Amino acid sequence: MARTRVIWAKKLPEVYSKLDEIDKVIAGHLEGSLLELVKLRSSVINGCSFCVDLHTRVALKQGETQRRLFLVSAWYEAGAVFTDAERAALALTDEMTRLGERGVSDETYDAAAEHFDDQQLAALMSAIAMINLYNRLAVTSHLHPPAN
């Protein structure tokens, strides 16, 4: 029988608190809708149902459309549904989330750098790294979205 998984945030609330502080700093440098699209995209790639649910709900509360949220999973085929800046951020999200032997390509990094100043780019990279951390912790802990 499988062991019940540890919910990391409950066992180390001080770590969760510090990560939340970092998230707030990042949020101060990026538009809320962009931040939620990036978090949603990474969560889709990582198969984190808890985070997909959470960031979909947050984005909807912030006024994001259902159509755009549905299309995050296929953003690269969605044409003008996403702005050039959003597309660059989503491409960076894809490459940072699927970080392989070759890392992030110059083409993808340069495209993001065309749309974001250095501080915004640093925040974007940090946001992507943070959501990947949260995804990995949630998936490992077997966190699931609430039933309702």
Side-chain angles (χ1 to χ4, degrees):
M1 189 161 107
R3 180 184 298 249
T4 301
R5 305 278 177 115
V6 169
I7 307 300
W8 70 275
K10 291 182 179 180
K11 297 299 177 184
L12 290 173
E14 61 273 22
V15 171
Y16 182 79
S17 175
K18 295 295 183 188
L19 294 176
D20 191 46
E21 288 178 35
I22 294 168
D23 280 337
K24 288 176 181 161
V25 171
I26 292 167
H29 297 282
L30 295 170
E31 181 184 307
S33 63
L34 175 73
L35 193 52
E36 293 307 318
L37 291 175
V38 163
K39 290 178 179 181
L40 179 57
R41 178 61 183 161
S42 183
S43 299
V44 166
I45 293 169
N46 287 323
C48 183
S49 63
F50 181 86
C51 294
V52 167
D53 179 67
L54 173 66
H55 296 293
T56 298
R57 289 176 189 239
V58 170
L60 287 169
K61 284 181 185 174
Q62 291 179 351
E64 186 58 77
T65 67
Q66 288 181 353
R67 180 177 184 236
R68 283 169 40 96
L69 293 176
F70 294 150
L71 288 171
V72 163
S73 63
W75 69 267
Y76 42 85
E77 290 293 331
V81 170
F82 298 103
T83 67
D84 289 343
E86 289 168 338
R87 293 174 64 78
L90 291 166
L92 184 62
T93 301
D94 282 11
E95 288 195 25
M96 283 185 67
T97 300
R98 294 181 174 127
L99 196 58
E101 293 177 11
R102 298 174 192 242
V104 173
S105 69
D106 289 340
E107 177 181 87
T108 296
Y109 182 89
D110 291 347
E114 285 182 29
H115 297 281
F116 303 98
D117 66 29
D118 287 352
Q119 196 168 42
Q120 291 170 320
L121 188 54
L124 179 59
M125 291 164 41
S126 297
I128 296 165
M130 289 294 290
I131 191 59
N132 272 278
L133 170 63
Y134 284 123
N135 291 164
R136 283 156 174 74
L137 290 167
V139 169
T140 301
S141 296
H142 281 180
L143 287 182
H144 303 289
N148 55 0

